[in-house]
Amino acid sequence: MSALAFVFSSGWASGLNCYLVVLVLGVADRVHDTEQVPNVLQRWDVLGVAAFLYAMEFVADKIPYVDSTWDAVSTAIRPTAGAVVGVLLAGQADSLNGAVAAVVGGGSALLSHAVKAGARLAINSSPEPVTNIGASLTEDAAVLGVVWFAIEHPRAAAAIAGVLLAAGLVLLYFLAKAVRRGWRRWKGRDRVPDPA
């Protein structure tokens, strides 16, 4: 059960920033040699690629509209990474546990990615960079904190990730309503009254 909790929390985090998840898990395994993190994530080539891609995402995630483009490209990448990390954490790719881990990791990554991408679209309706930078730094801190905490306390971290996911989905619902309402008002102002 704790392995599935670890998969869920790392999947949730992968939906926000899958490269940081791989980097944190790999560094934690290299420093502490934790048994629940597979050794493949501590390889230097894996850490190097993850660090490079995280650096790219770190910059892209703070620029209005570039972040939404990056999110669109990452729609296939983040859930896939969440599923792969889930299978690696389960340690049994050819079993039912591996399949369940892939679904849990990929599914939680897909949901958290949808929350992130939707929130960023709403934030970009006001194209000033301060909100983007704040949202990006908050996401990175949440990913770092949840994944690091999940290594030692997987069930508690999964509960935190679950609450954050539920809160994000509720926030996304209300943001979508507000954006839709604003869009309707804006479209209504552009209409020219019929002279007849």
Side-chain angles (χ1 to χ4, degrees):
M1 186 62 175
S2 64
L4 199 56
F6 193 19
V7 167
F8 176 79
S9 53
S10 65
W12 170 82
S14 292
L16 298 179
N17 192 326
C18 58
Y19 311 117
L20 183 56
V21 170
V22 172
L23 197 57
V24 170
L25 290 174
V27 168
D29 193 39
R30 184 161 278 285
V31 171
H32 296 295
D33 196 27
T34 58
E35 68 179 54
Q36 62 267 43
V37 178
N39 288 337
V40 69
L41 294 177
Q42 70 162 294
R43 289 177 28 188
W44 286 113
D45 56 337
V46 172
L47 290 174
V49 170
F52 175 74
L53 292 171
Y54 171 65
M56 287 180 58
E57 180 154 336
F58 186 83
V59 173
D61 215 27
K62 291 166 183 59
I63 304 168
Y65 302 111
V66 172
D67 64 340
S68 291
T69 304
W70 186 270
D71 286 340
V73 170
S74 297
T75 298
I77 297 168
R78 290 178 185 147
T80 304
V84 169
V85 168
V87 169
L88 288 172
L89 293 176
Q92 300 166 333
D94 61 345
S95 70
L96 181 60
N97 288 343
V100 169
V103 170
V104 169
S108 59
L110 181 62
L111 287 174
S112 63
H113 169 71
V115 169
K116 174 183 177 158
R120 287 309 184 86
L121 283 172
I123 288 171
N124 284 337
S125 64
S126 167
E128 41 76 35
V130 175
T131 311
N132 283 62
I133 293 169
S136 178
L137 291 174
T138 302
E139 291 163 0
D140 287 351
V143 167
L144 180 63
V146 167
V147 173
W148 200 266
F149 189 60
I151 293 170
E152 293 297 322
H153 309 284
R155 290 186 178 133
I160 292 168
V163 168
L164 291 172
L165 180 59
L169 289 169
V170 169
L171 176 67
L172 186 60
Y173 171 76
F174 286 112
L175 283 174
K177 281 181 69 170
V179 168
R180 202 171 327 137
R181 198 174 325 126
W183 179 255
R184 285 186 194 135
R185 268 193 234 132
W186 182 73
K187 279 180 65 176
R189 288 183 184 161
D190 286 348
R191 289 191 188 135
V192 178
D194 193 5

